[in-house]
Every structure is written in structure tokens, then in C-alpha cells.
Amino acid sequence: MRKVVVIGLGRVGLPLACVLADSGFTVVGIDADVRRVEFVNNGIPPFLENNMPELLSKVTGRNLTATTSYESVQSSDYVIITVGTPVDDNLNPVLSDLNRVLDQIGPYFRNGQTVILRSTVSPGTTAQIAKTLAQMSGKTPDKDFFVAFCPERIAEGKSIEEIRTIPQIIGGIGPESVRKAKEVFDILGIETLVADALSSELAKLFSNMYRYINFAIANEFMMICSQFGSNYEQVRYLVNYNYQRGGLMGAGLTAGPCLYKDGFFLLDHVPFTDLIGTSWRINENTPNFLVNLVQSISPIEDKAVAILGMAFKANIDDTRQSLSFRLKKLVEARGGRVLLHDPLIAKYASRNLKEIVSEADIVMIAAPHNEYRNNLRGILAQNNSILVCDVWNICGAGQLVFEASFLAQAAEGRIVI
């Protein structure tokens, strides 16, 4: 059995480690978080992920173990790096965690090993990693050791499924590096797309920015409709219905660690940065627009404002770069009393949804969790005086801000929505 070390047991690394172990690899996961290591070794998922509990329980103690030590690197065939690559307060890429991993690998690095970088990075980083490893070891890249960029392309919550079904990009620093990295994903039965490292780095960044820019267009169109007194969901329906050149996305709070930061890996390299920069400003300032809109209809001061959903997207428990917290600050700045709820995060799930809503004067839906889609409309219909801000159109009202009585009238058949 081939031996693999996966460095970083977060939402990218742990699902991959489980899939590799389930496919016959001997896997050691390395993470600096002692508590996370203990969770994994006890077969307990440290975060929500579909199919993770069953798979982790199956492979833990069999051919998946976790540790904080890097000694297992010495006996491994493959070293897969999945640590975070955030941006700093000035929105500059921070690669300190990645550099720290390279320092830790150094003493155990040997001939014949393949390093696979899975973290999102600036263009040219894979080549720089190969150079750094060559300087540290005195070995020749693509001959004595091999380096490839094989980006994760999964969506949180669907990682286990999508690792096996989405084509894997293989970007090597040379032909032998491509061949070595491809062997891993061939064993997993995954379709592979072979390229050079730089093209693969750009493909990952472009994928995220393409989605991010489309979200920004949707949010800007939503704001334009609001200014004209029109209904974005209705306009979107008219644009998209049975029209092959439609495709307008829904509006919403577009956030998360990848979409928030990945554009900044590109801005230092291009002369025209307006589109990426403007998209970031639109998406990051959508909470400001929503709070100002609510304030223009009903003053927030001394009102109880329920913010529903603290995760950065639907049906996960990840709050990184969630715009819900910006909503919270904006509401508090206007004198509102904030009530927070998220059914998937223990800190915000101590009170049930019905109780939170019944206490609120204003409800703002920040994350489109299934619980809200399934239950919120009925709860609101029983609380006529509440003002609702529903940027996700969870309630199906087709309106950005409306009174809950609107839903009650719909429930009674007096109006159709």
C-alpha cells in the first residue's frame, strides 16, 4: 500500500484523507490542532460534512491515523499540503503557514517523494516551492523529487462526493511530476486534466473569481431593482425562463474564505483590476445595503433584530468570513438589539427558531439553511407585525423586504406569491 501524508486536517484535507484511506492508501494526517487530532483518532468528525461520520469511522484505526508530528513524512511516498493561505489585514496573501510546513518537512524529505500542493496560491507558488525544496535538500526537482499543484475543487458539505466526481487538475513542474501526481488520482478513479503548474494555479483562481463576479452582478442587479421599486426575483425569472442565454444567479450574502480572498492572489499581476476589485466591494457591502434598506422602512433603534444563519453559506457550520457578523455590527451601530440563530452551530442553536422569531421585531435571513426553507415561512405567517429582509427569497415572497402579514395573507389564499 502506498503511504500518504496529508498536512492539514481541515475542510479540504480531512475529506481527502478519508477518501484516500478508503481507497487503500495508508494515510497519516498531520495537524497542529491537538484537539482536532484527537477527534480524528477517535473517529469523530470535527466539523459538519455529508458522509463524513460513516467514512471516518470506517477508516480510523485501520489505515488512517492523525498526529501533530512530521516524522511520518520520512516514510511517505506522497506529501499532500492542504494548509490555509489567507490574506492579511491589508488583503495581501499570507503564505506563512505554507512556509512553516516546508520547514517542518525539510528534515524528513528524501529522494523519490512527491509533494502535492492543494491549497489555493498565487501564480508561480508551485515553482517557488520546488525551488525552496531543492535548496533545502540539494536535490533536483522533477528528477530526485516531484512537485505538482492539484487544487481542491469541492464545495463544503459535498466534499466526499465531489472529490470522486469532479475532474482533477494536475499541474506539475515537469512531466515526471505530472505522472507521479496523476498516479494518486488514477487510483481513486478520478478523471484528470493534465497541465503545467502555472496554468493549474490560474485555473483554480479563475474558477472562484468567475463565480464571485457572477454573484456580484446578481447583487448589483438586486440593488438596482430595489432602487427602482422593482422585484429582482421576478426580473430574474423573466430573464432566465427557457432562455439559453439567461443564467442570472440569485442575490445573497456572498462570502467564505475562498471567494473573499482569492481575487487578491491575482491583483498584483494584472494591469486592470477593476472587475475583481469592484466585485469584492459589491459583495462585501451587500450587508450595508440591506441594513440601510431596512432602516429606510422601519428605524432599527431599540428594535429586536433576529439574524438567521451565521455560517457563510447554506447547510454548513463554517463561519469564516461570514457576512452575518457584518450584519450584526451594522444593526448594533444603529441601536438595534441583535438575536443570533444558526441551527448547525452549537453557539447559536441554544434557542429554537420559533422562539427567536417570536421575540424579534425584524428578521434578516443571512444564510439559506434548509431549516429556514422548510419552517420559516410558516413561523413568520403567525407573526404578522415582523418586518422581514429575505435576500435569498427563502420565503418565496419575491420581495426583498416585506411584512410577515404578507405571508399570512398568502397562507389564507388572499394573495398569490
Side-chain angles (χ1 to χ4, degrees):
M1 291 192 297
R2 301 193 180 209
K3 296 182 178 180
V4 179
V5 164
V6 177
I7 301 174
L9 294 176
R11 296 173 187 266
V12 173
L14 184 55
L16 177 62
C18 289
V19 170
L20 288 168
D22 191 45
S23 300
F25 289 89
T26 297
V27 183
V28 176
I30 299 175
D31 200 283
D33 187 333
V34 175
R35 187 166 179 267
R36 177 165 293 183
V37 166
E38 291 175 351
F39 267 63
V40 173
N41 284 332
N42 287 306
I44 303 171
F47 47 80
L48 289 178
E49 182 64 49
N50 291 341
N51 303 314
M52 175 75 78
E54 302 83 2
L55 187 56
L56 184 59
S57 176
K58 177 182 177 182
V59 299
T60 295
R62 191 185 73 177
N63 52 341
L64 172 63
T65 57
T67 180
T68 58
S69 170
Y70 278 74
E71 291 182 14
S72 53
V73 169
Q74 190 163 15
S75 60
S76 67
D77 301 301
Y78 295 92
V79 178
I80 302 178
I81 302 173
T82 70
V83 296
T85 50
V87 292
D88 61 21
D89 292 341
N90 297 313
L91 302 177
N92 297 310
V94 176
L95 300 179
S96 54
D97 287 346
L98 184 55
N99 292 329
R100 192 176 301 115
V101 165
L102 297 179
D103 290 338
Q104 296 275 14
I105 288 173
Y108 306 106
F109 198 57
R110 60 172 176 78
N111 278 2
Q113 289 183 311
T114 301
V115 175
I116 294 176
L117 180 62
R118 208 152 169 82
S119 309
T120 305
V121 293
S122 301
T125 299
T126 307
Q128 184 58 48
I129 286 175
K131 182 178 179 180
T132 299
L133 289 171
Q135 292 170 343
M136 290 169 52
S137 65
K139 298 175 173 58
T140 304
D142 211 46
K143 179 180 178 183
D144 299 325
F145 69 92
F146 313 96
V147 180
F149 179 68
C150 304
E152 59 85 11
R153 309 181 74 194
I154 49 87
E156 283 188 30
K158 301 179 181 179
S159 300
I160 303 297
E161 170 193 347
E162 293 190 345
I163 285 172
R164 296 183 183 274
T165 57
I166 293 177
Q168 178 62 58
I169 297 171
I170 310 287
I173 59 165
E176 283 302 300
S177 294
V178 169
R179 184 180 67 81
K180 287 283 189 177
K182 189 174 184 298
E183 287 177 354
V184 174
F185 298 100
D186 284 344
I187 291 171
L188 297 182
I190 301 171
E191 180 182 2
T192 55
L193 306 173
V194 171
D196 60 276
L198 180 60
S199 296
S200 300
E201 291 166 340
L202 289 170
K204 168 60 178 175
L205 292 170
F206 287 2
S207 294
N208 282 356
M209 283 303 97
Y210 179 73
R211 291 182 64 236
Y212 195 64
I213 290 167
N214 280 330
F215 283 130
I217 291 172
N219 282 332
E220 181 158 331
F221 286 171
M222 173 269 292
M223 296 176 195
I224 291 171
C225 281
S226 177
Q227 295 300 311
F228 276 101
S230 183
N231 179 339
Y232 176 64
E233 283 300 317
Q234 182 179 30
V235 173
R236 179 174 169 243
Y237 174 81
L238 295 173
V239 170
N240 290 344
Y241 182 75
N242 280 350
Y243 186 54
Q244 63 183 2
R245 288 179 292 280
L248 277 184
M249 301 177 74
L253 299 183
T254 305
C258 292
L259 297 182
Y260 170 84
K261 69 179 177 63
D262 283 2
F264 297 101
F265 287 101
L266 293 169
L267 294 186
D268 290 340
H269 299 271
V270 294
F272 305 107
T273 63
D274 291 359
L275 187 56
I276 293 173
T278 299
S279 296
W280 186 86
R281 287 192 293 274
I282 291 170
N283 288 328
E284 284 293 304
N285 284 297
T286 296
N288 303 60
F289 175 82
L290 296 176
V291 171
N292 287 338
L293 181 61
V294 170
Q295 174 77 7
S296 70
I297 297 170
S298 176
I300 291 173
E301 186 175 4
D302 296 327
K303 298 288 181 60
V305 181
I307 297 175
L308 305 184
M310 303 309 293
F312 74 77
K313 71 170 191 172
N315 304 320
I316 64 169
D317 60 346
D318 192 346
T319 61
R320 292 177 296 169
Q321 269 74 54
S322 170
L323 290 175
S324 303
F325 297 96
R326 178 169 290 187
L327 273 180
K328 175 179 180 292
K329 290 181 179 179
L330 292 167
V331 169
E332 289 175 337
R334 286 160 177 77
R337 178 171 64 89
V338 177
L339 310 171
L340 304 179
H341 181 268
D342 194 300
L344 303 179
I345 303 170
K347 183 178 179 180
Y348 306 111
S350 58
R351 301 173 66 192
N352 66 46
L353 178 61
K354 188 173 183 179
E355 182 183 356
I356 288 284
V357 170
S358 65
E359 188 180 330
D361 301 302
I362 299 169
V363 166
M364 303 189 74
I365 306 169
H369 291 319
N370 283 348
E371 177 168 339
Y372 302 151
R373 289 190 183 278
N374 296 335
N375 301 318
L376 185 57
R377 181 170 168 171
I379 294 172
L380 287 169
Q382 300 172 20
N383 295 269
N384 287 350
S385 61
I386 291 176
L387 187 70
V388 183
C389 178
D390 184 9
V391 68
W392 298 99
N393 198 33
I394 288 290
C395 296
Q399 299 184 38
L400 194 54
V401 179
F402 55 91
E403 290 187 356
S405 58
F406 183 77
L407 298 176
Q409 293 174 43
E412 295 169 1
R414 286 186 283 159
I415 58 173
V416 177
I417 60 174

